[in-house]
Amino acid sequence: MVKMRALLSGYYGKGNGGDEALLATLLQMLPSHVTPVVLSGNPEETRDRYNVETYDRMAPLAVLQALRSSDALIWGGGSIIQDVTSTISPFYYGGMMALAQKMGLKTVAWAQGIGPLVRPQTRWLARQTFGNCTKVSVRDRASAALLSDWQIPCIIAPDPVWALESKPVPGLWDLPAPRVAVTLRSHPQLTETRLANLTRALVDFQKATQAFILLLPFQKSEDLSIAEAIQPHLKDVSQILCLEDPQLLKGVFRGVEMAIGMRLHSLIMAAAEGCRCFALSYDPKVNRLMEDLEMPGWDLASLPNDPNLISLTWMEHYANGDPLSPDQIQSLVDRALIHRELLSQAFI
């Protein structure tokens, strides 16, 4: 096999556990003859964690140099092509992809969750860049339907993080059991009133189940302050667990009975490790996962106003809800490995 260099572009080095998990999985799935070069918001940290060559994603000359020295560009997973949380983001990724295509690089859109795309100009850019890719894989039906409308061929498979290898978390088994993990993030729909209701419900749920509550910030900058607001209400029966390594983050859920989560990848990791899951959705991608797995939960916008109802619903799921069966999990993992096949085909 001829050695190749592939530049990996995604929301890396920003301390987001889900995006780091996508990067870790992509690095696991890359063919052995492909050398990864990673664009990162924190190049030193990314280099040290994954032992890869890195460049600053926001330094134009460094990005250009990285493109010139590479044979391929990979959009490395997740909802990077959307214009709801950022109008700049799709132009950053789309512009780089268009440039790579102009330079004659192989281009791969890998494990994409496309949209929402509400602006005509971002839809146009997305259509052009996806249409010119060497290979495209998506992680949900809505993304596949959009590409089908645009007559762009793609492969659909579950999110690659289903197939991420987890690692055991040192000291986790020393914490009291049973354990329940909670992952909340800051969001306009998580109002003060809703957070207060969720906190009250969590206190009641803990008293009823005697579970030890693990508060898991997936992105410190977004999640830690919420965990710190909840923790004093659960003195001696909870702990904030900050983990940077995505394989350890996934490993937490090996020792957890149930997960209550807003973040997509917290729910995927928990479900993959055989946890019961309860979703609090703030985004269509979480709703899609709930539909695909028949996972119980609420849209945050329609969260009950009664903390008692919330805690009783959680208790019912804790007592009687079923996690995915080992066969279901294995099927999802096997199908997620289709994203690895796509990379093998792209880099023949």
Side-chain angles (χ1 to χ4, degrees), residues 190-201 307:
L190 186 61
T191 58
E192 276 185 44
T193 304
R194 286 184 185 133
L195 180 57
N197 286 338
L198 288 169
T199 303
R200 180 73 255 160

Side-chain angles (χ1 to χ4, degrees), residues 142-158:
S143 299
L146 180 62
L147 292 178
S148 175
D149 286 347
W150 291 345
Q151 298 181 321
I152 297 169
C154 71
I155 288 167
I156 179 170

Side-chain angles (χ1 to χ4, degrees), residues 6-255:
L7 187 60
L8 315 188
S9 174
Y11 195 68
Y12 309 140
K14 295 290 202 171
N16 182 311
D19 291 291
E20 293 302 309
L22 284 164
L23 174 57
T25 312
L26 175 52
L27 292 170
Q28 279 181 11
M29 289 186 176
L30 267 185
S32 57
H33 66 284
V34 178
T35 301
V37 182
V38 181
L39 295 176
S40 172
N42 189 334
E44 294 78 17
E45 184 185 85
T46 301
R47 182 194 64 214
D48 294 346
R49 180 177 298 151
Y50 303 108
N51 193 27
V52 289
E53 186 182 333
T54 57
Y55 290 87
D56 184 343
R57 71 195 291 274
M58 297 313 287
L61 286 175
V63 171
L64 191 59
Q65 181 190 340
L67 278 168
R68 281 184 176 145
S69 70
S70 298
D71 303 292
L73 173 68
I74 303 173
W75 271 342
S79 303
I80 57 176
I81 303 302
Q82 52 82 23
D83 57 9
V84 171
T85 60
S86 166
T87 51
I88 299 165
S89 176
F91 287 101
Y92 169 83
Y93 293 109
M96 192 189 307
M97 183 63 88
L99 181 59
Q101 288 166 348
K102 206 163 218 142
M103 292 167 71
L105 276 68
K106 280 181 185 274
T107 51
V108 178
W110 180 81
Q112 293 296 295
I114 309 165
L117 292 167
V118 295
R119 291 173 177 80
Q121 56 270 50
T122 46
R123 285 180 75 85
W124 178 86
L125 182 61
R127 186 172 185 168
Q128 293 298 115
T129 48
F130 277 109
N132 289 321
C133 280
T134 311
K135 292 279 183 186
V136 179
S137 69
V138 296
R139 66 182 185 186
D140 61 82
R141 290 192 305 271
S143 299
L146 180 62
L147 292 178
S148 175
D149 286 347
W150 291 345
Q151 298 181 321
I152 297 169
C154 71
I155 288 167
I156 179 170
D159 190 291
V161 173
W162 284 99
L164 176 67
E165 292 165 19
S166 61
K167 287 181 189 166
V169 179
L172 178 64
W173 299 98
D174 300 332
L175 296 173
R179 292 173 281 266
V180 169
V182 178
T183 302
L184 301 180
R185 56 158 291 165
S186 67
H187 191 270
Q189 287 182 6
L190 186 61
T191 58
E192 276 185 44
T193 304
R194 286 184 185 133
L195 180 57
N197 286 338
L198 288 169
T199 303
R200 180 73 255 160
L202 207 49
V203 170
D204 294 345
F205 170 80
Q206 191 283 323
K207 282 180 182 154
T209 59
Q210 293 297 294
F212 189 79
I213 306 297
L214 292 175
L215 298 162
L216 274 183
F218 255 57
Q219 185 171 11
K220 273 191 193 171
S221 60
E222 301 264 331
D223 307 0
L224 184 57
S225 59
I226 293 172
E228 287 172 343
I230 295 171
Q231 215 256 338
H233 299 275
L234 293 160
K235 279 200 179 80
D236 306 323
V237 292
S238 70
Q239 184 169 318
I240 296 173
L241 207 52
C242 291
L243 296 166
E244 300 286 320
D245 183 329
Q247 291 180 276
L248 289 174
L249 255 183
K250 196 176 185 190
V252 168
F253 296 101
R254 289 187 192 179

